[in-house]
Each structure stands twice: as structure tokens, then as C-alpha cells.
Amino acid sequence: QVQLVESGGGLVQTGGSLRLSCAASGLSFSSSAMGWFRQAPGKERDYVGAINRSGSGTYFADFVKGRFAISRDNAKNTVYLQMNSLKPEDTAVYYCAADPRSSLYRSDEYRYWGQGTQVTVSS
């Protein structure tokens, strides 16, 4: 079956950086766009960004533009979320998602989800 496993979360100070990884198995990774979402306590799951199948196109929510980057290595079946200039409001559980039906921006379009990794940014 399809598995997505995130890693790389942790505690970082304001202004710091983290790189999250999402390793996929059980799906045709190079045929799947990938998305990143996050969910803070008591809030809805928000779109962070996405990358197309080849990696030639990346798309971001306005609140992370210029700070976050997404890349993928199709040979390793892994997608990455590089997070720079982190702020306390970036604190959340971060999820990767695979195989959207159409829209890259809507969580309900994605067929597969990882278990999430906690990112905490201290002030």
C-alpha cells in the first residue's frame, strides 16, 4: 500500500531553518504531484505548497513565499520542504500528501497522506 513518511521536524528558534523530508513508497512517485500542508492546534489544515511531477514547477501559499522551497528527488521517491526564516506562527504539524485528483491547493483532493511531523518555532 501507499506510505508517506515525513521526517525532519523539531524545535527551532525564530529565524532558524528546517528541512522536512517525505519518503514515499507504494505509488508511482514520478507520476504524482506532491503537496505540503500544516495544521496548528485548534485550526484547520492549511495548504503550504506543492510541486509538480517533474519538479519543474512549485507553488506556495502567500504566507510562505520567499521563505520556503519545495524540491523532489524522483530517484529517491522523496520530496523536501526547506523552511527558512521560521516564525512562531509556523508552529504546526506538517503533512505531505500525494496524488491529487486535480487541484494542488485543496487538501480534499489528495488521495494519500503521511502521519505528519511536528515543527515548533520558539520565540
Side-chain angles (χ1 to χ4, degrees), residues 30-105:
S30 61
S31 298
S32 174
M34 300 292 293
W36 285 97
F37 292 78
R38 71 186 189 185
Q39 188 166 20
K43 296 190 176 181
E44 293 186 351
R45 189 169 296 189
D46 290 332
Y47 167 77
V48 173
I51 187 167
N52 65 6
R53 290 174 291 180
S54 67
S56 62
T58 55
Y59 317 92
F60 296 95
D62 287 343
F63 58 81
V64 300
K65 281 181 181 177
R67 299 191 297 126
F68 291 10
I70 298 175
S71 60
R72 65 190 296 161
D73 186 337
N74 285 348
K76 295 183 178 180
N77 286 2
T78 301
V79 62
Y80 305 97
L81 178 65
Q82 177 68 45
M83 304 186 294
N84 301 321
S85 302
L86 284 162
K87 306 174 183 180
E89 51 265 42
D90 294 317
T91 295
V93 177
Y94 283 72
Y95 298 89
C96 71
D99 199 17
R101 293 175 180 84
S102 57
S103 170
L104 297 179
Y105 315 114

